[in-house]
Structure formats: C-alpha cells, structure tokens
Amino acid sequence: QVQLAESGGGSVQGGGSLRLSCAASGSSSNINTMGWYRQAPGKQRELVASITSGGGTKYADSVKGRFTISRDNAKNTVYLQMNSLKPEDTAVYFCNAEVLVWDGTSWWGWGPGTQVTVSS
C-alpha cells in the first residue's frame, strides 16, 4: 500500500504564492507519474499538473506560466509551486500517484486533499 499526504495549503491574497508538497510512504518504490488535481465547489475534479518519474511534465492551460511541478524521486515527494494566484485557483488540491505492480498493471492512489483559498 502507498499513502499520500499533502501539506502546504492555506489562505493567500490574489497575486500571492503557495507551495504544496506531497510525500508518498509505504510501498512507494514503484511510483511512476505523480500529479496534482483540484476540485472547486460544484465543479469536477481537474488535472492541474503531472510529472513522470523521468521528469516529463504536463500542465492545465489555466496554470501554465504560473505553476511549476517538480519531484524528488529519492524522497518520493512531489511539489507544486503556485505563483500569481487568482481567486479562481481556490479549490481543494489532491495529490495522486501511479503505482506500478509487478504484473505490469498499475493503480492510482490519492491523498486526502489540502484546501487552497485565494482572496481577491
């Protein structure tokens, strides 16, 4: 089993910055892609950014140029640096990770989420 724990959420004024962290523990030696999703009230969960074990990244158009995803493979930790925050970035942010299984399959684990609130 793999457990994910997010930290770094909070409240900030528009234009400010926050850095989210997500550490994987347990059987975390076979983690491939890690990512961040967010869910605002009344909306579907959406991909914010993802990063493969090799460093390949993907971003939602709405955060390109403002958010940066990175990871420390030795620590099984993924980060999300969020700059120039806007009120529309307000959401619960979830970390997820793709865990590879010996038989070639994989499954996705999720953290409990951390609240990010941006005021105007």
Side-chain angles (χ1 to χ4, degrees):
Q1 292 294 322
V2 173
Q3 295 80 41
L4 302 174
E6 303 99 339
S7 61
S11 297
V12 65
Q13 284 194 326
S17 299
L18 284 174
R19 188 190 193 212
L20 304 182
S21 300
C22 174
S25 60
S27 302
S28 56
S29 61
N30 296 316
I31 291 178
N32 185 19
T33 299
M34 299 185 79
W36 291 95
Y37 282 69
R38 67 186 181 187
Q39 188 166 19
K43 294 188 177 181
Q44 289 189 328
R45 191 173 296 189
E46 63 175 0
L47 173 69
V48 177
S50 64
I51 184 168
T52 67
S53 57
T57 58
K58 181 186 301 184
Y59 293 93
D61 288 343
S62 59
V63 306
K64 284 181 181 176
R66 299 188 298 123
F67 291 11
T68 302
I69 190 170
S70 61
R71 67 189 284 174
D72 184 333
N73 289 330
K75 296 180 179 180
N76 280 316
T77 300
V78 63
Y79 307 95
L80 186 68
Q81 178 66 44
M82 305 186 293
N83 299 327
S84 301
L85 282 161
K86 304 175 181 180
E88 49 264 43
D89 294 317
T90 295
V92 177
Y93 284 69
F94 298 91
C95 168
N96 79 340
E98 180 187 22
V99 183
L100 304 178
V101 185
W102 63 270
D103 62 359
T105 63
S106 64
W107 58 276
W108 290 87
W110 291 86
T114 185
Q115 177 70 46
V116 171
T117 302
V118 184
S119 58
S120 56

